[in-house]
């Protein structure tokens, strides 16, 4: 059978990875065990994963490298050793001398900050899971454990990770029975050098042919989108502010090998109600909350630029129903309006910027590539990534964005993992040179859970930024809802002799010509990430 190589987008996450830039994504889960639970949860979790393994192809494959690293590697089947991939991480039984007791989430955040920089073993399937023991009990006396998951970004994007979670998690404490076929292991690891090179060259030729065939349609789409963009007043200049270089901030620096992680949760139903009241989308409000928190955080430190911050927002290129374990996403830019002190003006700015992005990216989604010829690309990308970091280019040149903000749709119902109730699900993502802060958001149960991953040297107090989201939420609550247009009075019955006079201009009862902004669909992520 033909060799299945990683796509250009998937493989790029491998080539960009350095000790300073781990390229795995995942989540922090806070779990509550059933009353009277006995035994080690790590054993229950290994047993649970073993039962679901046939339905998780992303967890049952490893990399097979091309000779001399000439082209993208391929995935080959590999049975994971669950004793290696699911491990126990015990927190100190006593707090440091003189330290105040910490809540479970803070302890989890500190553990993830220390664990995240560890790179995954590329000789094995590219995932790992830590069961974090030693957390305080919940308010009602239940034992709590943390779970920190890592999956390499070369294997999944945000939506593929959600599809993977749908297999592993349950809606009841009792795990459901899945109709699974036994996994069939193909011995693709025995492919010889000649066969590998032949398969790689055949794949390259096929990609070039497909690109040539799609070129006329691609050029037509690009030309049409460019014409529309240049003629749209809300896209350039004083409108959205999307197409501009980002101002300098503490986040736009060369990153190091340490991380700081923080999390926050906000009420989901209230956010949905506020979005409806303001004629906005839930994604608009996520951007609004992040903008408010960043503005307050930087302003308190006298580091707020006069120019608006710009967010890099992942958008999904994945067709509906596609759950393949790969990356199908691209990146867009949205101005956050942080230069505006008035929250109402900031929300209007974000809505306009989101609408402009959607207008531009909508037609382009069908032609954005996720795969491309890769002969020689491993050498080029790895060399460029190393040079970019060592020369500290991010410290010298302006960036196109200040922060990555990703909104990934998740389950809006209670879920369970190996019998334990999930109380929080906060995503963890990657930071790269020039973008030392990544905010990934997921709707979960009754909350919007925020995960803030930062370079520890650039933002050592990222916990303060996470806490600023509460202030941004209070600011959003205080916004008055826009007034609804006055209803048109019922027309009078016409007289046989004389028509009813029209109301005078500006009289009471006339409909205002001023319209509320139209609703804008959120950019589809995880990808939206991510």
């Amino acid at each position: 059978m033909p060799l299945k190589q990683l796509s250009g987008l998937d493989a790029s996450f491998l080539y960009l990875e350095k000790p300073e830039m781990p390229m795995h994504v995942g989540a922090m889960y806070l779990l509550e065990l059933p009353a009277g639970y006995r035994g080690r949860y790590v054993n229950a979790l290994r047993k649970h994963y073993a039962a679901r393994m046939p339905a998780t192809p992303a967890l049952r494959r490893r990399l097979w490298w091309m000779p001399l690293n000439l082209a993208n590697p391929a995935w080959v089947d590999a049975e994971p050793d669950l004793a290696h991939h699911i491990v126990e991480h015990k927190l100190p039984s006593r707090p440091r001398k003189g330290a105040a007791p910490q809540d479970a989430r803070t302890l989890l955040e500190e553990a993830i900050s220390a664990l995240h920089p560890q790179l995954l073993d590329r000789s094995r399937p590219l995932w790992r899971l830590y069961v974090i023991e030693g957390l305080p009990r919940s308010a009602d006396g239940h034992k709590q454990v943390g779970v920190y998951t890592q999956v390499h970004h070369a294997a999944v994007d945000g939506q593929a990770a959600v599809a993977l979670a749908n297999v592993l998690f349950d809606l009841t404490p009792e795990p459901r029975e899945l109709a699974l076929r036994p996994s069939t292991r193909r011995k693709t690891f025995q492919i010889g050098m000649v066969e590998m090179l032949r398969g790689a060259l055949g794949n390259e030729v096929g990609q070039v042919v497909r690109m040539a065939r799609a070129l006329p349609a691609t050029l037509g789409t690009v030309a049409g989108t460019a014409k529309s963009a240049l003629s749209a007043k809300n896209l350039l200049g004083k409108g959205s502010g999307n197409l501009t270089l980002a101002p300098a901030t503490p986040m736009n620096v060369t990153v190091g090998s340490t991380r700081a992680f923080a999390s926050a949760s906000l009420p989901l139903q209230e956010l949905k109600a506020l979005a409806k009241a303001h004629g906005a989308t839930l994604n608009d409000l996520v951007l609004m909350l992040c903008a408010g928190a960043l503005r307050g955080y930087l302003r308190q430190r006298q580091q707020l630029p006069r120019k608006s911050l710009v967010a890099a927002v992942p958008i999904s290129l994945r067709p509906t129903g596609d759950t393949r374990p790969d990356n199908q996403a691209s990146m867009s830019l949205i101005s956050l309006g942080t230069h505006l002190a008035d929250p109402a003006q900031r929300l209007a700015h974000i809505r306009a910027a989101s609408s402009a992005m959607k207008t531009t990216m909508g037609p382009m989604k069908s032609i954005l590539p996720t795969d491309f010829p890769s002969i020689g690309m491993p050498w080029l990308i790895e060399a460029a990534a190393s040079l970019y970091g060592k020369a500290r280019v991010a410290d010298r040149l302006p960036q196109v964005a200040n922060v990555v903000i990703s909104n990934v749709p998740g389950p809006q119902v209670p879920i369970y993992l190996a019998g334990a109730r999930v109380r929080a699900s906060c995503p963890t993502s990657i930071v790269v040179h020039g973008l030392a802060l990544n905010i990934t958001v997921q709707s979960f149960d009754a909350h919007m859970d925020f995960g803030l991953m930062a370079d520890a040297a650039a933002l050592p107090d990222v916990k303060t930024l996470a806490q600023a989201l509460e202030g941004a939420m209070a600011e959003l609550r205080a916004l008055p809802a826009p007034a609804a247009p006055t209803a048109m009075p019922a027309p009078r019955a016409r007289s046989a002799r004389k028509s009813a006079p029209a109301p005078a201009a500006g009289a009471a009862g006339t409909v205002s010509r001023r319209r509320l902004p139209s609703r804008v669909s959120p950019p589809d992520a995880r990808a939206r990430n991510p």
Side-chain angles (χ1 to χ4, degrees), residues 237-520:
K238 297 181 179 179
S240 69
N242 294 344
L243 302 182
T244 180
L245 290 175
T249 72
M251 292 97 72
N252 304 117
V253 294
T254 301
V255 299
S257 58
T258 57
R259 294 292 177 265
F261 178 73
S263 65
S265 295
L266 297 174
L268 178 60
Q269 293 306 318
E270 184 180 6
L271 283 170
K272 287 183 175 180
L274 287 169
K276 184 176 181 181
H278 291 282
T281 67
L282 192 58
N283 200 65
D284 291 337
L285 293 198
V286 167
L287 295 173
M288 176 70 174
L289 290 167
C290 294
L294 285 165
R295 175 182 165 83
Y297 174 85
L298 293 173
R299 188 165 179 263
Q300 186 178 12
R301 287 154 181 74
Q302 299 181 344
Q303 295 174 317
L304 179 66
R306 293 183 179 181
K307 189 177 178 182
S308 173
L309 301 187
V310 178
V313 179
I315 57 171
S316 178
L317 308 178
R318 187 178 296 274
T320 303
D322 187 339
T323 59
R324 288 175 295 173
D326 60 0
N327 285 272
Q328 299 182 53
S330 186
M331 196 72 74
S332 62
L333 300 175
I334 296 182
S335 175
L336 294 176
T338 52
H339 62 302
L340 299 170
D342 184 352
Q345 292 181 8
R346 198 181 315 134
L347 179 57
H349 178 96
I350 288 172
R351 292 186 60 207
S354 296
S355 177
M357 183 278 296
K358 184 173 180 288
T359 300
T360 306
M361 295 301 297
M364 297 290 290
K365 287 175 66 174
S366 62
I367 64 170
L368 291 174
T370 58
D371 200 6
F372 39 82
S374 65
I375 294 293
M377 291 301 292
W379 296 347
L380 292 175
I381 298 178
E382 287 181 347
S386 295
L387 180 61
Y388 192 88
K390 291 178 180 178
R392 305 188 69 86
V393 176
D395 299 341
R396 306 169 188 271
L397 297 180
Q399 304 295 315
V400 297
N402 300 105
V403 57
V404 178
I405 301 177
S406 179
N407 183 9
V408 182
Q412 298 180 18
V413 293
I415 59 173
Y416 298 80
L417 180 63
R421 172 75 181 271
V422 180
R423 290 298 184 182
S425 171
C426 300
T428 62
S429 197
I430 58 179
V431 298
V432 297
H433 295 312
L435 291 169
L437 174 65
N438 183 305
I439 304 176
T440 305
V441 189
Q442 182 175 15
S443 51
F444 165 70
D445 200 353
H447 311 107
M448 289 291 287
D449 284 346
F450 291 70
L452 291 77
M453 185 66 71
D455 176 72
L459 281 87
D461 55 348
V462 69
K463 182 73 172 179
T464 304
L465 178 58
Q467 293 168 345
L469 286 164
E470 287 287 352
M473 184 68 180
E475 190 178 59
L476 186 58
R477 290 185 180 116
L479 274 181
T486 308
M488 174 75 77
R492 299 179 187 177
R494 286 181 174 270
S495 169
R497 297 180 181 179
K498 188 176 181 180
S499 300
T510 58
V511 178
S512 170
R513 294 180 179 272
R514 188 178 182 181
R515 295 183 179 180
L516 292 175
S518 59
R519 292 180 63 86
V520 180

Side-chain angles (χ1 to χ4, degrees), residues 58-256:
L59 306 183
R60 294 184 293 106
R61 60 187 187 179
R62 66 178 178 87
L63 296 170
W64 189 260
W65 297 91
M66 293 294 158
L68 303 178
N69 203 19
L70 284 174
N72 292 344
W75 291 117
V76 297
D77 293 336
E79 293 301 321
D81 176 6
L82 296 185
H84 168 83
H85 289 280
I86 302 177
V87 297
E88 203 171 53
H89 179 81
K90 291 187 177 182
L91 299 177
S93 56
R94 295 182 180 179
R96 295 185 302 272
K97 187 176 180 180
Q102 293 178 303
D103 59 50
R105 286 182 72 138
T106 301
L107 290 169
L108 279 180
E109 291 164 0
E110 291 182 352
I112 290 171
S113 299
L115 293 170
H116 186 82
Q118 299 178 21
L119 301 181
L120 294 170
D121 184 352
R122 293 193 179 188
S123 67
R124 299 175 180 266
L126 290 178
W127 65 278
R128 207 165 199 206
L129 187 151
Y130 295 89
V131 177
I132 302 174
E133 295 277 3
L135 299 179
R137 290 184 175 269
S138 64
D140 53 4
H142 287 261
K143 181 181 177 181
Q144 297 185 115
V145 297
V147 168
Y148 170 45
T149 62
Q150 294 177 337
V151 184
H152 203 285
H153 213 329
V156 295
D157 62 9
Q159 288 196 5
V162 170
L164 179 62
N166 288 338
V167 174
L168 297 170
F169 289 84
D170 296 292
L171 298 178
T172 63
E174 187 66 27
R176 68 193 189 278
E177 292 292 334
L178 297 182
L180 300 175
R181 295 180 179 179
S183 59
T184 57
R185 184 175 178 180
R186 298 184 303 272
K187 297 184 178 180
T188 51
F189 57 87
Q190 293 183 354
I191 294 175
M193 181 180 296
V194 174
E195 185 179 352
M196 291 178 66
L197 290 174
R198 185 186 298 118
L201 290 173
N203 188 43
E204 299 290 299
V205 172
Q207 288 177 343
V208 172
V209 170
R210 287 191 296 271
M211 292 173 64
R213 289 176 178 172
L215 186 59
T218 299
L219 292 176
T221 301
V222 171
T225 303
K227 182 178 179 181
S228 174
L230 292 172
S231 63
K233 293 181 179 179
N234 69 329
L235 190 61
L236 300 173
K238 297 181 179 179
S240 69
N242 294 344
L243 302 182
T244 180
L245 290 175
T249 72
M251 292 97 72
N252 304 117
V253 294
T254 301
V255 299

